[in-house]
Amino acid sequence: MSTGPFQLDRRAQQLRKLTDVSRALTYAVSLEEVLDLTVERAAELLDAPRAVLLLTNDDGLLSVRASFGLDAGITRELQEPLHETLITRLKALLATSETEQFLGVPLVVAGQVTGLLAVAIRTATSQPEDDEWL
């Protein structure tokens, strides 16, 4: 893959945005603020209409701890094991049209998956390699 001037400029902009995210997270004063900022900034970085952050609860199920662009009533009810069924539920929640899909990143602590950050991606405007890198 060749990297042209436009791609280098876009990558530099993304790095600046990531630095801004890091700075904002540094000043967050509570876990809830960190989670909310993480979801909001992930959606902003990827120009996503919806995003969700799930963490394992006491029962070992993934439940929504922060979301962006989603109805709180729907997200409150989502509790899933880390299993293939989660993909179907997230696709229904995030990719609401044929021109959307979702990108999910596992959150790993000490070798264990403890959560998932998932963001709706518009396939028409998305650049999969850049989105995955970011």
Side-chain angles (χ1 to χ4, degrees), residues 20-34:
D20 291 342
V21 170
S22 177
R23 191 173 298 118
L25 290 172
T26 300
Y27 294 108
V29 294
S30 70
L31 176 60
E32 294 306 315
E33 190 176 357
V34 168

Side-chain angles (χ1 to χ4, degrees), residues 69-83:
L70 295 168
D71 180 77
I74 293 171
T75 60
R76 200 174 302 119
E77 296 175 10
L78 180 65
Q79 290 194 13
E80 289 282 328
L82 185 59
H83 190 265

Side-chain angles (χ1 to χ4, degrees), residues 21-123:
V21 170
S22 177
R23 191 173 298 118
L25 290 172
T26 300
Y27 294 108
V29 294
S30 70
L31 176 60
E32 294 306 315
E33 190 176 357
V34 168
L35 299 177
D36 288 340
L37 273 169
T38 299
V39 171
E40 290 169 12
R41 296 299 175 98
E44 178 185 310
L45 284 169
L46 295 169
D47 191 30
R50 289 169 299 289
V52 65
L53 189 144
L54 301 104
L55 295 178
T56 52
N57 62 22
D58 293 337
D59 298 324
L61 299 174
L62 288 169
S63 61
V64 176
R65 291 292 302 271
S67 65
F68 174 84
L70 295 168
D71 180 77
I74 293 171
T75 60
R76 200 174 302 119
E77 296 175 10
L78 180 65
Q79 290 194 13
E80 289 282 328
L82 185 59
H83 190 265
E84 291 84 18
T85 58
L86 179 62
I87 294 170
T88 304
R89 292 284 306 267
L90 287 174
K91 186 174 182 180
L93 184 68
L94 294 170
T96 60
S97 74
E98 289 184 21
T99 60
E100 294 178 336
Q101 58 187 14
F102 77 91
L103 178 65
V105 178
L107 306 175
V108 180
V109 175
Q112 297 282 84
V113 176
T114 60
L116 179 74
L117 174 62
V119 180
I121 302 293
R122 293 181 179 106
T123 55

